[in-house]
Amino acid sequence: MTHTYTPTNPVWCSGCGHYGVKGAMEHALAALGIQPHETMLLTGIGCSGSVQNNIKAYGYHSMHGRVLPTATGAAIANPDLTVIAAGGDGDGYAIGAGHLVHAFKRNPSVLYVLMNNAVYGLTKGQDSPTSGSTAGTEVDAPVDGITLGLSISGTTFLARGFTRKADQLNRLMVQALEHVRAKKGFAFLEVLSPCVTYNDTFPDWDARLYDVDADPDYSPHDRGAAFVKTVSLSDEDKIASGLIYHGERPCFEAEWLAYESNLAQLDAHDPRNHRDELDALMDRHRM
Ligand code: SF4
């Protein structure tokens, strides 16, 4: 019997940015002709994580903060799959931050869509790692995942979109999926996706966005210049958006397969697999 999965409708609040992320994912999958049976969408915990129920693909709802090692395993186990991981800023920049650092280092062919709304929406509005200064104290600086990615030399694709800029977000989602489909490694796409119920950042982010795609002097292939630009924009209270960095490096699966092949060669030299030759060698040296 063949079972066909019918995605459910989203349960997000009216006006939530996540609708735009879902739309951009669907647009990119359709634009590149990627079929549901060729796609696996894994998600973390939070409002963002429920997008896994709304896209027609293989799906897996991972533990909190653990979406990236799970997605990396899926990419290794079946290189024919297009693997997409998605989650929020609480999931990816707090409990999952260590896994993000190692995904940047390893470069697995996984698209990671981090839906940043600078708040824990599902649990009703606590500060998240990107919330900025904590109300009343102003001592808590926000995490910047793009600058973090630029600081790790193995990263190959870093971009930031905004759900209010649908054309650019659609384009970035397609570019990120192309990177992953070409087995060029980890594509990190942070999407500014406001939580209209607990932290409506639409007007603030609209005013502070700086689109590097529209800057003729900006090159996404120069890591050092990208770092300087994003940090200086941050110092001016601006937020860099667009394709921030695009580089080249072998993907994790290629390295892993080479490692596996080395293991197989070691296995071929395992003395237990050459008992007769070993006995003959020992005989030659017997007194
Ligand atoms: Fe979206 Fe916020 Fe509502 Fe969650 S609580 S669905 S993040 S608007």
Side-chain angles (χ1 to χ4, degrees):
M1 194 192 332
T2 301
H3 294 278
T4 303
Y5 173 67
T6 304
T8 58
N9 288 324
V11 293
W12 300 312
C13 309
S14 176
C16 176
H18 298 348
Y19 288 99
V21 180
K22 170 182 172 284
M25 273 187 199
E26 289 172 330
H27 167 269
L29 289 167
L32 297 175
I34 306 170
Q35 300 301 310
H37 70 275
E38 299 171 322
T39 311
M40 183 161 189
L41 174 59
L42 306 95
T43 57
I45 301 299
C47 292
S48 53
S50 69
V51 71
Q52 180 256 308
N53 300 311
N54 314 133
I55 302 267
K56 193 165 186 173
Y58 291 115
Y60 185 82
H61 213 149
S62 85
M63 290 197 298
H64 199 13
R66 306 292 178 251
V67 69
L68 286 176
T70 318
T72 302
I76 293 169
N78 187 350
D80 293 334
L81 274 179
T82 296
V83 179
I84 305 172
D89 44 301
D91 191 82
Y93 289 150
I95 190 169
H99 293 303
L100 176 60
V101 167
H102 286 276
F104 280 145
K105 280 162 56 76
R106 289 183 180 130
N107 201 34
S109 295
V110 169
L111 163 58
Y112 184 32
V113 180
L114 191 144
M115 297 143 81
N116 178 11
N117 55 18
V119 76
Y120 284 91
L122 188 68
T123 48
K124 304 195 184 310
Q126 298 86 356
D127 274 1
S128 83
T130 51
S131 293
S133 55
T134 304
T137 62
E138 299 196 351
V139 295
D140 198 356
V143 169
D144 183 339
I146 297 289
T147 312
L148 174 67
L150 284 169
S151 74
I152 296 173
S153 62
T155 49
T156 50
F157 187 103
L158 302 165
R160 179 181 283 127
F162 182 29
T163 52
R164 185 165 270 180
K165 311 273 183 196
D167 287 349
Q168 182 185 50
L169 181 56
N170 285 343
R171 193 173 67 248
L172 292 172
M173 195 73 78
V174 168
Q175 288 175 307
L177 269 179
E178 285 176 332
H179 184 83
V180 167
R181 296 269 289 179
K183 300 295 172 197
K184 294 191 168 180
F186 191 57
F188 178 68
L189 174 57
E190 184 192 277
V191 184
L192 301 175
S193 178
C195 168
V196 291
T197 301
Y198 295 109
N199 188 28
D200 186 356
T201 45
F202 269 118
D204 177 55
W205 284 347
D206 220 1
R208 292 169 56 206
L209 223 58
Y210 181 93
D211 183 0
V212 299
D213 292 344
D215 181 346
D217 297 327
Y218 186 85
S219 167
H221 306 295
D222 184 336
R223 180 186 298 275
F227 194 88
V228 169
K229 185 71 179 177
T230 53
V231 170
S232 62
L233 284 169
S234 175
D235 287 346
E236 295 165 22
D237 209 25
K238 296 280 184 194
I239 304 169
S241 70
L243 179 56
I244 311 285
Y245 180 70
H246 199 184
E248 293 271 348
R249 186 191 150 213
C251 69
F252 179 62
E253 306 91 274
E255 301 282 324
W256 177 261
L257 289 173
Y259 174 68
E260 289 263 282
S261 148
N262 287 340
L263 283 186
Q265 284 173 27
L266 282 179
D267 195 47
H269 292 112
D270 188 327
R272 287 167 298 189
N273 297 331
H274 302 277
R275 185 63 197 241
D276 292 345
E277 293 104 305
L278 192 60
D279 284 346
L281 180 69
M282 295 302 286
D283 283 346
R284 282 207 298 278
H285 291 86
R286 279 206 173 91
M287 300 294 291

